[in-house]
Amino acid sequence: LGGMKPVIVVHGGAGRIFREREEGCRAGVVRAALRGYSVLKQGGSAVDAVEEAVRSMEDDPHFNAGCGSVLNEKGEVEMDAIIMDGKNLDSGAVSAVKCIANPIKLARLVMEKTKHMLLTDHGAHLFAQAMGIPEIPGEKLITERSRERWKKNLEPDSNPEEFQKDLGTVGAVAIDSEGNVACATSTGGLSNKLIGRVGDTACIGSGGYADNHSGATSTTGHGESIMKVVLARLILYHMEQGMSPEAAADTALDYMKTRVGGLGGVIVVSKAGEWAARFSTKQMSWATVKDDNLHYGIYAGEEHITSVDEALASEREGF
């Protein structure tokens, strides 16, 4: 193994997390971080680790990605995902995909099996078939909660903007023992969005970016605002200018807020293995594992720290 200490950071989306969902969100990001970290501990690459962490959250109905994704105007799930390898700047993404359980897996196949970086909608569907990815009925991805929200937003006096405050993109960044960084981001998008709407997640430099020369970042929040400032790349730019991950994240989030009125959250790992989880929304569920210690929180200023061994033991007991 190389000389780097592996680090993984995950987020479960920035916004407003309702009280009754807090525990589930906390448990979900902790589980994802532990899974990603175990990949790194076994000598897996940063790309393997972020894919595993994001897959874990796509399968968890608490998050707006994979199963549990919000519905578009027609009541369907359309998902976006991206993955990026900091070693050679390879990236793969999919947008507006339906009827598959793990968009992040498909994004990785786009990165590794095609010369392209982004496949959309029908083309992504054909590629998934060619790759032997099982198709699942769209209903399987729809939770009662997503359907309720969709119906509420259809009411004449509803304000979908209100509901956009609990935006649950999921994401992960990691550095492995070889010093390679990677990022992965996946989302169901905005509730009651127009058919075919693609947000920041599938867009390189907005939903995520990874470069061994500086670090990796994954974003969450108001997609259109994130795209306007190319948030993920902006954070790494600040780090290239000598800022710490925390300062770079805060500076970029502050710029997005003042310049375009957008709120969001980010996770960052630097090429030196320093990390940050920062947000301008009320909350963001996040978790990190570094030096065999697990850190996690949801509220600003909240940070619990426990050993990985303890966390794994309590997870086996059902958290």
Side-chain angles (χ1 to χ4, degrees), residues 21 57-71 77 79 139-147 149 168 188:
R21 302 183 63 76
M57 292 184 285
E58 286 177 339
D59 292 341
D60 185 331
H62 282 94
F63 303 109
N64 173 17
C67 176
S69 287
V70 299
L71 311 185
V77 165
M79 302 166 291
E139 294 75 70
K140 273 234 161 81
L141 297 170
I142 298 178
T143 57
E144 201 37 55
R145 178 166 181 266
S146 295
R147 201 178 293 277
R149 280 176 63 177

Side-chain angles (χ1 to χ4, degrees), residues 160-198:
E161 291 300 302
E162 248 321 286
F163 282 96
Q164 304 315 1
K165 294 201 173 77
D166 46 330
L167 302 160
T169 303
V170 306
V173 294
I175 186 164
D176 59 30
S177 56
E178 303 293 320
N180 292 315
V181 299
C183 70
T185 314
S186 180
T187 190
L190 291 179
S191 191
N192 297 63
K193 62 190 178 179
L194 295 182
I195 291 165
R197 178 263 187 187
V198 177

Side-chain angles (χ1 to χ4, degrees), residues 35-182:
R35 282 196 186 169
Y37 191 65
S38 102
V39 169
L40 294 170
K41 282 301 259 195
Q42 289 158 28
S45 68
V47 171
D48 290 334
V50 294
E51 181 190 9
E52 181 55 40
V54 165
R55 225 171 48 137
S56 158
M57 292 184 285
E58 286 177 339
D59 292 341
D60 185 331
H62 282 94
F63 303 109
N64 173 17
C67 176
S69 287
V70 299
L71 311 185
N72 66 12
E73 55 177 354
K74 255 180 66 184
E76 299 170 334
V77 165
E78 285 188 320
M79 302 166 291
D80 303 336
I82 193 168
I83 193 163
M84 187 167 182
D85 184 345
K87 188 164 48 201
N88 47 16
L89 306 188
D90 273 353
S91 177
V94 292
S95 69
V97 295
K98 303 180 186 75
C99 303
I100 61 164
N102 298 110
I104 199 64
K105 202 174 153 183
L106 190 57
R108 177 151 186 192
L109 288 168
V110 170
M111 173 168 83
E112 291 180 349
K113 306 286 185 201
T114 78
K115 291 191 176 72
H116 307 310
M117 284 172 69
L118 171 59
L119 290 181
T120 192
D121 196 357
H122 183 59
H125 172 76
L126 293 175
F127 175 66
Q129 278 181 331
M131 289 290 116
I133 295 213
E135 206 175 308
I136 59 168
E139 294 75 70
K140 273 234 161 81
L141 297 170
I142 298 178
T143 57
E144 201 37 55
R145 178 166 181 266
S146 295
R147 201 178 293 277
E148 287 299 301
R149 280 176 63 177
W150 174 70
K151 282 198 189 125
K152 258 211 173 77
N153 288 342
L154 290 178
E155 290 165 10
D157 57 348
S158 87
N159 176 13
E161 291 300 302
E162 248 321 286
F163 282 96
Q164 304 315 1
K165 294 201 173 77
D166 46 330
L167 302 160
T169 303
V170 306
V173 294
I175 186 164
D176 59 30
S177 56
E178 303 293 320
N180 292 315
V181 299

Side-chain angles (χ1 to χ4, degrees), residues 265-280:
V266 300
I267 50 173
V268 192
V269 66
S270 76
K271 65 177 181 185
E274 301 170 298
W275 62 274
R278 310 291 293 167
F279 47 100
S280 51

Side-chain angles (χ1 to χ4, degrees), residues 225-238:
S225 299
I226 290 170
M227 290 157 96
K228 286 174 186 175
V229 302
V230 199
L231 186 62
R233 190 67 192 82
L234 181 61
I235 292 164
L236 292 184
Y237 164 77
H238 287 313

